[in-house]
Amino acid sequence: MEQIVYKFPDHTDEELKKYRALWDEIFEDPKAFSDYYFANVCTTNRLLGAYDNGKLIGMVHANPYRVKDSVKNCVYNCYYIVGVAVRPEYRNQGYMRSMMCRMMNTLKEEDCPFVFLMPKNKSYYHSLGFITVYDTKVIICRLMDNTNYMDCLKHSGVIFDRIDKKTKQSLVKYSNTAIANQYRFFSERTSEYFMAMMEEHTCQNGNAVVVRDREIIVGTFAYAVYDSIFYVERMEVYCEEALNVMTDAFFDLAQKEGCITMELTVAARYADKIKEEIHQKTELRLTDSDNIMHEHDGYGIMACALQDDFSVNEMKNMSFFNEIV
């Protein structure tokens, strides 16, 4: 067997077909999502592959994001690492680590201050210098027959709209200001950011939504629908006092989509309040043997500094990263 070769390929159709084939082999994403990712995200990201005699056996994707520091009032050009994969027969031989180190060293030479990722194995990334900077919780709730859906509509001013061109323009300034009041580090909200958020979920039988309580923008979230499960992702709250309005929108949309289960991935700081709202809306009986609500830790986000003058320790508990790709 020839020595493994690592290279940053050109984004030619031939090369992208190799990466798409490996992506489909390793990950379980729906075809529509993978179609979206390779047609849109891969046109602007960085790819690194490991090749054995021309055969792609491993890959790392680095997707560009502009991250704001609200304290220093600056924006960093950073990368979100996704799609880290090695074919099963090549695992446990150090190829994944070699790819990660090569990608990080290349981005370091380009003055990228830090990279971040959503880990499935935190201990592995700890060994590469990553630390957790943003914690999430996953709340799973069965929508039983005793759900008080009418209570979800008591707030007569609640409006949730799909994020269209007009909505995006009004959201950009408002969202950046609102998030900066709560966190120091976060991905800059732009029209393109919200467009990607929408497109990423429309191909997953869902959409992106802005939630208002009368004239107040409460927040946004994206959702996907599969097998009667209503998945809530990328939730961002601009007015924490109105968090209950967000849960109203979750329940109403889940009902309209005919779902019987909700799975919410939320910032850990909101988990207890959201669970309280779910109890109220579903009249959960705490002694119910069905145990219809569950909670567990999400993957969260880890970050690693690439420059000596940047400390990711400052990001811990001060960051808000809810990207998917």
Side-chain angles (χ1 to χ4, degrees), residues 44-62:
T44 59
N45 74 355
R46 304 289 296 275
L47 297 174
L48 173 64
Y51 297 79
D52 181 7
N53 196 28
K55 176 184 177 182
L56 181 67
I57 61 98
M59 63 183 177
V60 174
H61 297 231

Side-chain angles (χ1 to χ4, degrees), residues 300-322:
I301 293 290
M302 302 182 78
C304 179
L306 300 183
Q307 305 299 329
D308 294 337
D309 60 352
F310 190 92
S311 174
V312 290
N313 288 316
E314 296 181 2
M315 301 177 67
K316 191 170 180 62
N317 301 319
M318 301 180 69
S319 300
F320 180 66
F321 293 110
N322 62 351

Side-chain angles (χ1 to χ4, degrees), residues 180-220:
N181 288 334
Q182 302 175 62
Y183 300 93
R184 176 175 175 180
F185 299 95
F186 60 95
S187 294
E188 181 182 41
R189 269 55 179 166
T190 62
S191 292
E192 292 75 19
Y193 181 95
F194 287 115
M195 177 60 75
M197 179 177 173
M198 180 187 69
E199 292 179 346
E200 184 178 306
H201 287 80
T202 53
C203 67
Q204 299 180 76
N205 307 312
N207 214 311
V209 176
V210 58
V211 182
R212 298 183 179 90
D213 188 358
R214 296 173 177 86
E215 298 302 318
I216 300 174
I217 299 178
V218 176
T220 64

Side-chain angles (χ1 to χ4, degrees), residues 167-177 189-191 194:
T167 308
K168 284 186 298 179
Q169 293 172 347
S170 63
L171 272 176
V172 169
K173 182 177 180 180
Y174 190 93
S175 59
N176 281 301
T177 300
R189 269 55 179 166
T190 62
S191 292
F194 287 115

